[in-house]
Amino acid sequence: MFRDYKNHKKIILFDGVCNFCNSWVLKVIKLDKKNQFVFASLQSEIGKKITTHLGIDTTKIDSIILYEPNISYDIKSTAVLKIMVSFGGFWRLFLILTFLPEGFRNYCYDFIAKNRYKWFGKREKCILPSEEFKTEIKQKFL
């Protein structure tokens, strides 16, 4: 279904109504010098198609998802770490966190995720980029 999509780029699915998640996506766009990622909100049509294709119930896994079509997908702390490390340079230092047990990393991730709306706020709906921003990052969003 997503076999040849976007030249085999990795897809980051995120919570489109979360202010923290949206800020994080904007940061990833700036740091993605190798143009490795495209983005879709979990609430979007394509986000729903991908999670259905992967068999992920987003009512149970309310998480960032890093999907590499026809390869694998990762969620929670593992997804975040893989994204960060992919930037290279200084960001490769975050590899050290992979030595922590995944259960502990996900506990920390879940704590932040559980409180993200309280701490950072929530939007009524996913943000729509301005025309200027759309032109600048045209190929980044699915």
Side-chain angles (χ1 to χ4, degrees):
M1 176 177 182
F2 303 99
R3 187 173 331 162
D4 296 317
Y5 197 75
K6 295 283 185 185
N7 300 321
H8 305 287
K9 291 186 181 186
K10 300 169 189 171
I11 302 168
I12 297 175
L13 299 172
F14 65 100
D15 181 352
V17 298
C18 170
N19 288 333
F20 177 72
C21 302
N22 278 290
S23 295
W24 190 81
V25 165
L26 294 175
K27 187 70 161 172
V28 171
I29 289 169
K30 287 180 182 178
L31 294 170
D32 184 21
K33 304 296 185 209
K34 298 175 192 170
N35 200 22
Q36 306 171 76
F37 302 109
V38 291
F39 304 84
S41 73
L42 289 165
Q43 296 85 355
S44 69
E45 184 178 325
I46 191 75
K48 291 175 184 174
K49 285 181 181 178
I50 292 171
T51 55
T52 298
H53 171 72
L54 295 174
I56 297 173
D57 181 353
T58 55
T59 62
K60 294 180 181 165
I61 298 177
D62 182 16
S63 166
I64 187 170
I65 301 169
L66 174 62
Y67 176 47
E68 296 183 61
N70 293 324
I71 298 174
S72 66
Y73 73 90
D74 294 289
I75 61 171
K76 298 185 180 190
S77 65
T78 302
V80 171
L81 288 173
K82 282 187 175 185
I83 292 165
M84 292 168 73
V85 168
S86 73
F87 301 141
F90 157 82
W91 295 98
R92 294 193 52 81
L93 292 174
F94 284 92
L95 270 172
I96 193 105
L97 295 177
T98 60
F99 292 107
L100 294 173
E102 186 177 31
F104 175 75
R105 287 182 300 159
N106 285 341
Y107 175 82
C108 296
Y109 178 96
D110 289 338
F111 179 76
I112 294 168
K114 180 178 155 188
N115 293 290
R116 70 185 185 268
Y117 296 146
K118 181 171 50 173
W119 294 341
F120 304 102
K122 181 179 177 180
R123 302 169 185 268
E124 288 294 316
K125 57 184 178 178
C126 299
I127 61 167
L128 295 174
S130 67
E131 287 304 316
E132 180 181 323
F133 191 67
K134 281 182 190 176
T135 303
E136 183 181 329
I137 59 157
K138 195 169 157 181
Q139 299 299 317
K140 289 282 187 180
F141 285 89
L142 299 176

